[in-house]
Amino acid sequence: MNGPARWLRVVVTPADRVSEKLWTGNESAQVIAGASRPELLGVRDWSEEGLRFRAELSTFVEDGPVSVTPELQGSVRLSESWWKGLEMSLDAVAAAATDRVSVRQDLVNRRLEWISGGRIDPAVAVWKASHGDLHWANLTAPACVLFDWEGWGLAPAGWDVAVLRAYSLLQPAVAAEIADRFSGLLTGAGGRQVQLFAVAELLMAGSRGDHPELTSPLLGLASELLGKPAEVIARRVGLPAA
């Protein structure tokens, strides 16, 4: 019997290691009005032999991801309607009321101490709901749809765009576009704080071998934000400057 295409996502994990936040993220995100995302049509949970399973049936999105990797490695042309769609989705997420937590204050404390040596006040003044994993493999084009809502929840205001800008640094024109379009979230003390936190998170991932090509531009952005040479920051965090 023919019908519309659907996506079926099946996850499995040991029953004693299930993170309820991640397990229910896609389902709970359905309450966010105005965000462009796949619609969840049905969910089934079951357990057997010490394992827990979840199957999620969603509407099918024909457009592919902007990038096959979280970082933007190649040039891309995104329409004005794409940018407006992203802004609309992020505004909808930020307006959502939730008690879910995507980023904790103690993590912000550790990362900002690591990268700034105590020069940046880590206390977050404004918390907003966020997608929590906004990178280029989780965004589609030509229409802007956001995938993978498992980790959505409260985070420092501007967290999503700060992370997306950091993942864009290999394409300076795109990174500059984000900085310009979302300047209200990326300037001032809060904008500086959240950008340094994003840089620190990606540098920490880089120290474990992820996206090593981003290390140099990330250190360059940290240098701009802290007013210190990239080499000094690199020595502090134990990473090569170039």
Side-chain angles (χ1 to χ4, degrees), residues 72-138:
L72 191 59
Q73 296 186 353
S75 61
V76 63
R77 299 181 69 177
L78 299 168
S79 67
E80 181 66 21
S81 65
W82 188 94
W83 288 106
K84 293 295 185 184
L86 176 63
E87 183 177 357
M88 180 181 67
S89 287
L90 294 184
D91 284 347
V93 178
T98 184
D99 58 1
R100 288 174 56 89
V101 176
S102 182
V103 172
R104 296 189 179 279
Q105 180 66 67
D106 62 332
L107 179 62
V108 180
N109 295 347
R110 294 196 303 274
R111 293 292 184 263
L112 290 184
E113 172 63 28
W114 179 67
I115 198 168
S116 77
R119 294 185 59 192
I120 299 297
D121 181 0
V124 176
V126 180
W127 297 85
K128 293 285 187 180
S130 71
H131 175 276
D133 193 23
L134 194 68
H135 55 64
W136 293 103
N138 278 342

Side-chain angles (χ1 to χ4, degrees), residues 3 6 33 49 57 62 76 81 88 90 131 141 145 175 180 214:
R6 297 286 188 251
E49 298 183 357
L57 186 68
E62 293 187 0
V76 63
S81 65
M88 180 181 67
L90 294 184
H131 175 276
V145 178
D180 180 58
L214 275 177

Side-chain angles (χ1 to χ4, degrees), residues 87 110 123 162 175 181 187 207 224:
E87 183 177 357
R110 294 196 303 274
R181 287 180 177 270
T187 54
S207 72
E224 293 178 25

Side-chain angles (χ1 to χ4, degrees), residues 108 112 119-126 156-157 183-197 225:
V108 180
L112 290 184
R119 294 185 59 192
I120 299 297
D121 181 0
V124 176
V126 180
S183 60
L185 294 170
L186 298 178
T187 54
R192 182 186 185 207
Q193 179 195 67
V194 75
Q195 287 198 82
L196 276 170
F197 176 43
L225 294 167

